[in-house]
Amino acid sequence: MRDFEYEAPTALADAVELLAGANGSAKLLAGGTDLIDHVRTGRLEPDLLIDIKKLAELNVLEASDSGLRLGAAVPCYQIYGNEQITSNYSALADSCQIIGGVQIQSRASVGGNLCNSGPAADSTPSLIALGAVCVIAGPNGTREVAAEDFCTAPRQNVLEAGELLVELKFPAPGGKSGSHYRRFIPRNEMDIAVVGVGAAVTLDDSGENFVSARIALGAVGPTPIFAQAAGDALAGQPANDDSIAAAAAAAREVATPIDDMRGTVEFRNHATAVLTERVLKTAIARARGEADGYTIGH
Amino acid sequence: MATADVDTAQTNGNGKYKVIGTRPIRHDGVDKVTGRALYGADVKLSGMLHAAMLRSPHAHANIKSIDTSKAEALPGVRAVVTNADLPEVGDRIAELGEGAVNLRHLSCNVLAGPKVLYKGHAIAAVAAENIHIAKEAVGLIDVEYELLPPVLDVREAMEDSAPILNDDVRTDTMGELGNTPTNIAAHFRYEKGDIEKGFAEAKVVVEREFDTATVHQGYIEPHNATALWNKDGHITVWTSTQGTFSVRQQVAELVNVPLSKVKVIPMEIGGGFGGKISVYLQPVAALLSKKSGQAVKLIMDRSAVFEATGPTPGSYIRVKMGVDAGGKITAAEAYLAYEAGGYPGSPINPGCMCIFACYDVPNGKIDGFDVCVNKPRTNAYRAPGATNAAFAAETVIDEICDELGICPVEFRLNNASKEGTRRVDGVEYPVIGMADTVEAIKSSAHWQSNLEGPNRGRGVASGFWFNCGLKSAATATVNADGSVSLIEGSTDIGGSRASLAMQLAETLGIAAEDVNPAVVDTDSVGYTDVTGGSRVTFATGIAAYEAGMDIRRQMIARAAEIWDVDADQVRYEDGTIIGPESSYTFKELAELVIKTGDPVTGRGASSAANQGGAFGTHCVDVEVDPDLGKVKILRYTIAQDCGTAIHPSYVEGQMQGGAVQGIGWALNEEYFYGDDGSMHNASYLDYRIPTCYDVPMIETIIVEVPDPEHPFGVRGVGEVPIVPPPAAIANAINNAIGVQMTELPMSPPRVVHEILKKNS
Ligand SMILES: Cc1cc2nc3c(=O)[nH]c(=O)nc-3n(C[C@H](O)[C@H](O)[C@H](O)COP(=O)(O)OP(=O)(O)OC[C@H]3O[C@@H](n4cnc5c(N)ncnc54)[C@H](O)[C@@H]3O)c2cc1C
C-alpha cells in the first residue's frame, strides 16, 4: 500500500478547498469500507485522504413533517436504528441492514455507497424509490441532483472536480405509504446483490388502489436503474396480482444485465421480475399496516 | 444439552475401553481458542526479510525474457530469484503420500520455466527489508511474454486441435507411452465381466453426462514459508504443512541438497484438506535466503491461494448403468475426464476406482483421462476425485430407482458392496460397513420422518473413500510424575493429537490428560508420511499403540527387576503392573523408573497395515425457491462407518466439516473464468463457501464396523463425508421440483435455467 497524507477538516468550506486544491489526487474518506479496500489493492493511489466524518453538515439525521435529511457520512447503524426511518422510509432501513455485517454497518455510510457508484450498491435503489435528492457542495456553491440521475456509469457519477455530497433529502411520504428493498444473493450473507429491487408505493385511503409508485433496480445495468414507466403505470390501478405482475414485467423490460460470476443475463432478467413482485407486495403490506413477512437474506 | 453424554463411551466397544470413546478436551485446545497457537504467519526471526512474488497475468504464454535488474537496484532489495536459480532436477517422480509428482513439473510450478501455464503462475520472487519494498520491486521486473491461446475446458483440451501445454507430456495408457505431445497425460481403463451381456440383462438402462466446476479446499490460512539457509549448508524451514517429511523431500530435491541438510519445523496449520502437501513457497524462500544470507518469509495473499495453489479438478463424466427387474445392477460403464491443471496429476485414478465402489457391479468398464488445461495444477482435496464421480453415479442410480419404482435406500441395501465384493478395478473388499451405513440411515429419525410442504424434497447418496496406511513413527517417554510424553510427526489438522494421545492412554491404561502429545520437526522423530489419505488416527495410531506396548514391556521388566521375579510372572492390566505378591500403579512405577535404572522410552512404527476403506450414506431435505432457484438445506444426516470412534466429537466434526464443504461444492463453489483464462472470483466474496447461515446443524450417526487391521478397529473418517453431498442434494432437488441437475455447482442461475427449460 502506498503512503498518503490524511486531513480531517471540521468546516465544509475547508473540505471543499482541500479537495479542489488537490487536482484529483485526493479522495474523500467517509466510512472507508470501499475506499480503504481500493487503496489496499492498488486500484486507487491517492496522495491525500480527506476524512469527512468530522463535518457537521454530513452528520445530520433529521426526520420531520417536511421529510428526512440524511447527512452523507451517517453510518448505517444509526439509520436503521432510527424509528422514524424504519417506519416511514423502510426501504432505506432495509438497505442499511444488509450492507455488510455489524462492523461494516458501524462505519459504512449511504453517501459512500452512492458515491462509490457501484451498479449493485444496496442503498441506491432505495434512494431512487423514495425520491431522494442529492445535495452537492463544490467550489461554485451548492446544487441538487435527483438520486436517479446521480450515477452515470460503473464507479462514475455527476460529481465534478472539487465537489462532494453533503446530504440526501427525502420528501415526507403521504397517505398510506410503504416501501421496501430486497436483493437476491446466492448465500444468506456475505454477498453482493445479483439483483436488487427497491420500491415505494402510496395507496388511496381504502388501501386497495395505487396512488403512485416508484421502482428502482440494482445490479442489472451499468448504474442503478429507475424503472419509471413500471411505477408510473401503477398509478390509479388496483393493488392486485395482475397489476403487480404487469409492473414486474415492465421492470424486467428496462433491465440490461450482463453475464458474470454473480449471475447470468437469463437469471437476472427473470429475477428482476420475481423480486419486483415480491418487493411490491411487501411495500403494499407495509402501506396497509399488515405483517410483511420479510426476513433478511431471503 | 449435548454435554450430557460427553463422558459416556460412544463406541460399540461397550465398556471394552476406558479412554477410547470418551470426549476429553483436546491438548491443543487452549492455545487455539486463546489465540496463542503459532501459525506460519507468526514466525519472526531476527534479521528476517520479507518476500513477494511476481505472478503471471496470462493464462498461457512463453516467457521470452525476464529482466530483474531494476528490481535488484531498488534500495532495500536483498535478493531476486527466478526459475534460473533452481537446479535442473530431471524427469523423476516423487511420491507425496496422496499422489505423485514429476519433479521437473513441480520445479516449473514453483517458479515458471519456459512457459506460464495459468494466470497466477509464479515467475519470480523478491526478498527485501520489508514487504512494501518487496512488492514495489516485483512491479519493476520486466517479463516479455509470447501469448498463446489458453484452453480451459477438459473436452476441448482433449481435441487434436487444442493448444498443447507441455511438450514433454505423452499419454500414459496403463504404462505405455504415446509418442506425440498431448494434453492427455494418462488414460486409465478398468474392466470386469462382460459389459455387453450385462446391459442386455438390464430392464432399465440410464445414461447421463455431467460437468463439474473446479473447486478449492478453501482453508482459511494462506500458504506460508520462512526459510533460513545457513552458512553451513543447513536449511531450516518453518511452515504449516500436512507433511513435514514430504516438504523436506521436495525442498531437498528441488534445491538439490541431501535430505539431511533440510529440517522442517511444523507450525500450527489453519486447514489443508489435501492442499498443503505440495510445496509452493518453501523452496523459493530457501533460495532467497541462500542469496541474501538472511531468513526469508514468504506468504501468499488470498488471490494467489485461489489462482496458484492446487484446487480439485473440474470434470466431464458420462455414466451408463443397467439394472434388472429385481433392482440388481447388471452393468455399469463410466467415462471420466478430469482437469489436471497446468501439469499432469489430477486424481483421475481414484475417481475411476471410486465411481462404482459402493456397489456390487458384476459387469463394468471404466475409462479415465488426466488432462492438462490452463488452470492451476490440481492437488488433493478431501477424497480427491471421488465427489465428482459420486455426483454422476449416485444421481443415475436415483433416476433408475424412480423409473423402477424402487426406494433408493432399498436399492442401495440390495446392491451394497460387502466383504468379498470385487470392485471393477479388481480390488476385493475385506470387512466393510457400506450396508451398515445405509441401514443406519434407513432407521434414522430423519429418514423415518415425513417431509411435507411444497417444493421440498429428500435425497440420499452413498460414498466411498480409501484409507491408506503408509508410514508413521512415534516415541513415548515415561515421566516421573506418571505422565507420558508422546512425540509424533503427523501435523495435526483434525484433532489428531487428541486421538493419538487417547490411543496411547488406552494402551497404557492411563488418562488421556496424562499424555502430552507433541508434533515435532523432521530431525526429532522417525519418518512419518503426510497427514492425508485418512491415515493419521489409523497409522500413527498404530505407532502410538506400539510405543505404548513397548513401554508396557519395559515397565513389566522393571517391576520384575525390582521384585526380583521372572518377567513372565508379571502382567500389565488396566494401568497396573501386577506381580505374584505385589503391584504398582503406572504412576507408582513411573516414579521409581529413574531411581532404579534406565529411563523408559517406547518406540512404535507402522508401515504394513492396509485399511479396509470407509463408506458413508447421507440423507438431505431441501426446499427449492421455484422462482429463484435457491436451495435451502432443511435437514442433513450422515451415517458413516468409522470403525471405532476414538474421540467421537472429532469424528462428528470431521463428518460435519466434510458435509459442509460438500454442500458448498454442490450449491455455489466454482472457479469462474473469463475467456482469457483469468479467474474472476479469486476472493471469498465471490468464491462462495457456505457461511453458518447457509447450513443447518448436521446430524451424525457413527456406525462402527471395526477394521481388523487396527488394534482398536479404527477407520479413517476425514475424507469420505465430502463424497455424497452433491449427489444427495441433486437427488433432493429432483425430488422437490422434478428437475434433474447434471452440472455443478447447482447455483441459482443453473437451477432457474433448468426450471425455465422444463416449463417452456
Ligand atoms: C465486508 C464488506 C461488506 C460489504 N457489503 C456491502 C453490501 O452488502 N452492500 C453494499 O452495497 N455494499 C457493501 N460493501 C461496500 C461498502 O461498505 C458500501 O458501499 C458503503 O456504503 C460505503 O460507505 P463508506 O462510508 O464506507 O464509503 P467510503 O469507502 O468512505 O467511500 C466510498 C467512495 O465514495 C467516496 N465518497 C464517500 N463519501 C463521499 C461524499 N460525501 N462525497 C463524495 N464522495 C464521497 C469516497 O471517496 C470513495 O470513493 C461492503 C464492504 C465490505 C468491506
Side-chain angles (χ1 to χ4, degrees):
Chain A
M1 188 156 114
R2 249 172 99 243
D3 287 354
F4 52 77
E5 299 298 319
Y6 171 85
E7 297 277 356
T10 51
L12 184 56
D14 294 346
V16 170
E17 200 184 310
L18 275 169
L19 186 60
N23 279 329
S25 68
K27 275 283 166 191
L28 297 172
L29 174 77
T33 59
D34 276 316
L35 184 67
I36 298 293
D37 198 44
H38 292 320
V39 175
R40 184 184 65 83
T41 55
R43 280 190 296 261
L44 291 176
E45 298 194 320
D47 293 327
L48 169 66
L49 290 194
I50 305 169
D51 190 337
I52 51 177
K53 286 190 293 298
K54 297 199 163 65
L55 302 172
E57 294 86 340
L58 276 77
N59 285 299
V60 172
L61 181 57
E62 223 176 75
S64 67
D65 291 349
S66 55
L68 168 68
R69 290 180 61 203
L70 173 66
V74 174
C76 289
Y77 84 95
Q78 285 184 19
I79 299 172
Y80 64 72
N82 182 302
E83 228 168 87
Q84 307 231 43
I85 295 179
T86 50
S87 44
N88 297 327
Y89 308 89
S90 350
L92 181 61
D94 293 335
S95 294
C96 292
Q97 254 174 316
I98 57 176
I99 293 178
V102 173
Q103 295 98 323
I104 295 295
Q105 289 160 4
S106 319
R107 294 196 60 90
S109 62
V110 166
N113 197 232
L114 181 63
C115 293
N116 189 58
S117 302
D122 276 313
S123 70
T124 311
S126 295
L127 301 183
I128 297 171
L130 292 167
V133 171
C134 312
V135 180
I136 297 167
N140 304 324
T142 303
R143 64 183 178 118
E144 296 191 352
V145 172
E148 56 267 33
D149 298 328
F150 188 84
C151 299
T152 53
R155 313 226 161 273
Q156 285 175 35
N157 55 47
V158 298
L159 292 179
E160 304 278 345
E163 282 190 327
L164 60 79
L165 177 68
V166 179
E167 69 171 63
L168 294 149
K169 293 196 305 194
F170 298 77
K176 278 185 152 46
S177 293
S179 66
H180 179 43
Y181 172 81
R182 75 169 71 179
R183 66 180 180 189
F184 178 81
I185 54 174
R187 293 181 291 194
N188 294 318
E189 254 302 340
M190 273 267 298
D191 273 319
I192 290 182
V194 180
V195 177
V197 177
V201 303
T202 302
L203 307 179
D204 64 12
D205 288 344
S206 72
E208 295 304 319
N209 305 296
F210 288 105
V211 173
S212 64
R214 288 172 68 91
I215 300 169
L217 317 174
V220 289
T223 65
I225 295 169
F226 179 29
Q228 190 170 7
D232 285 353
L234 287 174
Q237 297 286 317
N240 60 24
D241 286 353
D242 288 345
S243 63
I244 291 171
R252 180 196 168 119
E253 281 303 307
V254 297
T256 55
I258 53 166
D259 277 326
D260 69 7
M261 63 210 171
R262 298 186 185 130
T264 56
V265 169
E266 174 191 59
F267 179 78
R268 284 186 158 123
N269 278 324
H270 180 76
T272 298
V274 174
L275 286 192
T276 302
E277 281 193 28
R278 292 184 185 181
V279 166
L280 281 171
K281 284 180 180 165
T282 302
I284 291 166
R286 286 176 174 175
R288 289 173 176 159
E290 296 166 355
D292 59 23
Y294 167 67
T295 46
I296 291 178
H298 300 276
Chain B
M1 281 284 294
T3 48
D5 58 4
V6 153
D7 289 320
T8 359
Q10 295 288 309
T11 71
N12 65 4
N14 287 338
K16 193 164 140 201
Y17 300 124
K18 258 174 53 181
V19 178
I20 289 172
T22 64
R23 301 170 187 246
I25 289 173
R26 63 198 290 164
H27 300 76
D28 49 320
V30 171
D31 275 356
K32 288 200 171 141
V33 300
T34 56
R36 292 216 164 78
L38 295 176
Y39 292 84
D42 298 321
V43 176
K44 285 194 186 76
L45 303 169
S46 55
M48 184 174 82
L49 303 175
H50 297 264
M53 280 272 192
L54 173 68
R55 296 184 177 278
S56 171
H58 307 297
H60 196 189
N62 287 318
I63 299 178
K64 306 290 281 182
S65 65
I66 305 176
D67 180 355
T68 59
S69 56
K70 276 186 263 167
E72 279 157 12
L74 186 72
V77 169
R78 304 285 293 275
V80 181
V81 296
T82 67
N83 180 273
D85 295 283
L86 281 163
E88 177 59 44
V89 287
D91 247 336
R92 282 177 304 129
I93 304 292
E95 248 329 306
L96 301 183
E98 245 197 351
V101 67
N102 173 312
L103 284 170
R104 178 140 47 82
H105 292 157
L106 183 63
S107 177
C108 288
N109 195 47
V110 160
L111 284 169
K115 287 183 94 177
V116 289
L117 296 178
Y118 50 90
K119 177 169 180 275
H121 200 152
I123 293 175
V126 179
E129 279 156 20
N130 65 50
I131 188 67
H132 305 288
I133 299 174
K135 283 186 175 166
E136 197 180 334
V138 160
L140 296 174
I141 298 173
D142 286 324
V143 183
E144 197 190 328
Y145 300 96
E146 178 194 2
L147 297 192
L148 301 167
V151 58
L152 298 165
D153 176 81
V154 67
R155 274 183 289 171
E156 281 169 27
M158 293 174 83
E159 284 166 15
D160 288 341
S161 57
I164 302 286
L165 274 72
N166 298 287
D167 60 13
D168 62 343
V169 169
R170 306 284 181 276
T171 306
D172 179 340
T173 308
M174 307 305 272
E176 268 181 44
L177 282 191
N179 40 32
T180 44
T182 170
N183 292 326
I184 305 173
H187 173 200
F188 291 88
R189 168 167 291 180
Y190 298 108
E191 284 176 292
K192 178 186 172 189
D194 180 343
I195 191 90
E196 302 297 327
K197 183 175 137 276
F199 281 120
E201 286 165 10
K203 177 165 182 226
V204 172
V205 176
V206 169
E207 182 170 10
R208 290 280 171 264
E209 292 179 282
F210 301 86
D211 290 286
T212 75
T214 305
V215 297
H216 197 270
Q217 298 85 352
Y219 32 80
I220 299 302
E221 181 204 31
H223 291 253
N224 55 78
T226 304
L228 176 64
W229 193 314
N230 218 354
K231 299 286 181 231
D232 62 5
H234 280 89
I235 303 169
T236 308
V237 179
W238 293 259
T239 189
S240 66
T241 171
Q242 290 178 242
T244 50
F245 287 88
S246 175
V247 170
R248 181 177 75 167
Q249 182 197 353
Q250 294 175 73
V251 170
E253 302 263 22
L254 291 179
V255 305
N256 197 20
V257 298
L259 270 189
S260 60
K261 297 276 188 199
V262 181
K263 174 162 102 175
V264 178
I265 300 178
M267 305 304 294
E268 290 294 350
I269 178 169
F273 311 107
K276 287 188 184 152
I277 295 173
S278 186
V279 296
Y280 299 96
L281 305 176
Q282 295 91 340
V284 180
L287 289 174
L288 287 167
S289 177
K290 185 184 188 186
K291 270 200 170 177
S292 65
Q294 301 290 325
V296 174
K297 181 171 174 177
L298 189 45
I299 292 181
M300 282 193 195
D301 62 16
R302 184 65 60 193
S303 59
V305 171
F306 277 115
E307 292 183 337
T309 67
T312 207
S315 58
Y316 164 79
I317 303 175
R318 203 166 58 231
V319 164
K320 183 178 173 189
M321 190 177 275
V323 174
D324 67 18
K328 280 272 188 198
I329 299 173
T330 58
E333 189 177 350
Y335 172 104
L336 306 91
Y338 281 16
E339 295 169 359
Y343 300 99
S346 76
I348 183 63
N349 195 28
C352 292
M353 294 159 87
C354 288
I355 190 159
F356 301 129
C358 293
Y359 307 104
D360 187 353
V361 173
N363 305 292
K365 182 172 167 214
I366 302 166
D367 283 290
F369 298 87
D370 183 35
V371 185
C372 296
V373 296
N374 292 108
K375 295 183 180 179
R377 185 175 65 101
T378 54
N379 251 307
Y381 176 19
R382 244 179 165 144
T387 302
N388 315 41
F391 173 58
E394 294 286 308
T395 54
V396 164
I397 285 176
D398 222 54
E399 223 182 299
I400 293 173
C401 289
D402 262 1
E403 217 160 300
L404 287 172
I406 305 176
C407 160
V409 163
E410 294 302 336
F411 178 92
R412 285 175 171 81
L413 280 176
N414 200 13
N415 288 282
S417 290
K418 44 188 176 299
E419 186 175 3
T421 301
R422 198 160 64 76
R423 278 203 313 258
V424 177
D425 58 283
V427 171
E428 194 178 300
Y429 283 118
V431 181
I432 52 169
M434 165 63 191
D436 307 68
T437 68
V438 184
E439 284 288 1
I441 285 296
K442 189 179 166 187
S443 51
S444 68
H446 184 170
W447 182 256
Q448 300 285 334
S449 71
N450 281 329
L451 178 63
E452 278 161 13
N455 304 309
R456 293 181 165 193
R458 178 170 292 169
V460 291
S462 297
F464 163 77
W465 182 249
F466 317 89
N467 296 164
C468 57
L470 301 177
K471 296 180 202 314
S472 284
T475 54
T477 309
V478 177
N479 300 313
D481 62 358
S483 68
V484 177
S485 302
L486 171 63
I487 316 261
E488 44 115 353
S490 292
T491 52
D492 183 354
I493 54 176
S496 58
R497 263 175 292 217
S499 72
L500 299 174
M502 288 171 73
Q503 292 182 64
L504 179 59
E506 185 72 49
T507 310
L508 292 174
I510 62 177
E513 292 76 10
D514 286 334
V515 177
N516 303 318
V519 181
V520 297
D521 66 69
T522 49
D523 280 356
S524 308
V525 65
Y527 180 84
T528 298
D529 271 308
V530 296
T531 300
S534 299
R535 61 174 296 275
V536 168
T537 301
F538 177 84
T540 312
I542 294 175
Y545 167 81
E546 293 295 348
M549 294 308 283
D550 195 13
I551 288 177
R552 282 168 57 148
R553 283 189 294 274
Q554 293 177 52
M555 293 295 259
I556 286 173
R558 184 63 53 86
E561 241 174 79
I562 294 171
W563 291 324
D564 199 15
V565 298
D566 274 354
D568 57 15
Q569 289 178 277
V570 181
R571 61 185 206 281
Y572 194 109
E573 213 175 280
D574 205 11
T576 310
I577 300 94
I578 303 165
E581 271 151 35
S582 47
S583 69
Y584 288 124
T585 63
F586 184 83
K587 200 170 173 165
E588 286 164 352
L589 185 55
E591 211 184 317
L592 295 175
V593 159
I594 316 234
K595 294 181 184 149
T596 54
D598 291 349
V600 170
T601 297
R603 60 172 278 277
S606 90
S607 66
N610 264 318
Q611 303 189 66
F615 292 83
T617 299
H618 294 199
C619 178
V620 58
D621 293 349
V622 303
E623 182 174 317
V624 185
D625 182 328
D627 298 314
L628 294 172
K630 189 160 162 174
V631 176
K632 182 175 182 190
I633 309 288
L634 300 171
R635 187 172 185 184
Y636 202 108
T637 304
I638 304 175
Q640 185 177 319
D641 175 15
C642 302
T644 298
I646 301 294
H647 192 307
S649 297
Y650 301 152
V651 169
E652 290 157 1
Q654 289 294 321
M655 290 157 74
Q656 291 164 330
V660 170
Q661 286 185 314
I663 290 169
W665 192 339
L667 294 181
N668 281 306
E669 292 181 37
E670 67 180 310
Y671 274 46
F672 190 93
Y673 280 95
D675 292 337
D676 63 349
S678 62
M679 183 185 181
H680 287 187
N681 59 336
S683 82
Y684 278 136
L685 178 57
D686 287 307
Y687 182 87
R688 300 186 187 88
I689 62 176
T691 73
C692 56
Y693 296 103
D694 302 309
V695 283
M697 188 65 188
I698 310 282
E699 296 165 49
T700 54
I701 303 168
I702 296 178
V703 175
E704 295 187 304
V705 180
D707 189 323
E709 292 270 318
H710 186 278
F712 301 122
V714 164
R715 288 181 199 271
V717 300
E719 294 177 279
V720 75
I722 203 173
V723 180
I729 292 168
N731 291 341
I733 292 172
N734 194 9
N735 186 240
I737 56 168
V739 162
Q740 182 68 57
M741 299 302 296
T742 56
E743 206 176 334
L744 291 182
M746 298 175 282
S747 57
R750 289 212 177 90
V751 174
V752 162
H753 180 76
E754 293 304 321
I755 292 172
L756 294 177
K757 214 163 76 185
K758 185 181 158 213
N759 293 346
S760 69

